[in-house]
Amino acid sequence: MMRINQSRRSGYVVSGRTSKTLLLPMPRSSADDLALRAHIAFDTMRRGQGAEATAQNLLQVLFLVGIMSGTGIGGVEPQSLILAEKIIASAIQNGRNTGNWVVDAEAFESLKPVAVAYDLQLHQAPLWAVADASARLGKLGAMLPN
């Protein structure tokens, strides 16, 4: 039985088998599903068939990779993250202005390290690290204006 209780001091107290589960990578089928969705989003933007939701998905992937890399898991060079953020931000601005949601071929090549890192992180990082990064991203999203 899985039990997670809120604690004043540490945020969460995990008991039983759950604590051991959090030390393992997520189940392969779940990691495969998340990685495939990201790769489809990257490819959709490359082919110029994206939408705002596609670009937002890529931005979330970028932030998750950055958060996990910042904690030492599946590192990506900071310069690659900065470049990827500029590319995705530019694609979002261009998409909002023109309705053309695309990342050109040259920019797409610069996004590959992020896609590869995300895939590796999902398949190799302990579940607690992925959950922590997702929670941090959720808090960041909650602070942004609608």
Side-chain angles (χ1 to χ4, degrees):
M1 178 163 99
M2 185 186 293
R3 254 183 58 203
I4 302 177
N5 297 321
Q6 191 108 22
S7 166
R8 259 194 257 163
R9 233 182 312 153
S10 65
Y12 292 95
V13 175
V14 182
S15 61
R17 282 183 260 166
T18 304
S19 60
K20 292 178 184 174
T21 302
L22 292 174
L23 297 174
L24 299 171
M26 75 171 54
R28 184 167 182 83
S29 61
S30 298
D32 287 347
D33 182 56
L34 291 171
L36 179 60
R37 289 172 192 246
H39 285 285
I40 289 171
F42 279 107
D43 188 57
T44 300
M45 290 295 287
R46 180 191 60 80
R47 290 183 287 113
Q49 296 178 345
E52 187 163 7
T54 312
Q56 292 293 339
N57 183 321
L58 294 183
L59 201 53
Q60 290 176 346
V61 167
L62 172 67
F63 287 154
L64 287 169
V65 168
I67 290 167
M68 286 195 280
S69 292
T71 61
I73 298 170
V76 173
E77 293 295 321
Q79 299 84 355
S80 294
L81 292 172
I82 292 167
L83 179 58
E85 183 178 1
K86 288 178 182 176
I87 290 167
I88 295 170
S90 176
I92 289 172
Q93 183 160 358
N94 183 56
R96 287 179 178 164
N97 291 338
T98 68
N100 187 18
W101 296 87
V102 65
V103 172
D104 66 46
E106 183 180 331
F108 181 76
E109 288 300 314
S110 299
L111 294 176
K112 282 185 177 179
V114 174
V116 170
Y118 185 64
D119 200 322
L120 290 173
Q121 288 170 336
L122 290 174
H123 287 89
Q124 296 176 357
L127 189 55
W128 70 263
V130 178
D132 182 63
S134 295
R136 290 172 64 185
L137 179 60
K139 288 178 185 176
L140 177 64
M143 293 188 305
L144 298 174
N146 291 329

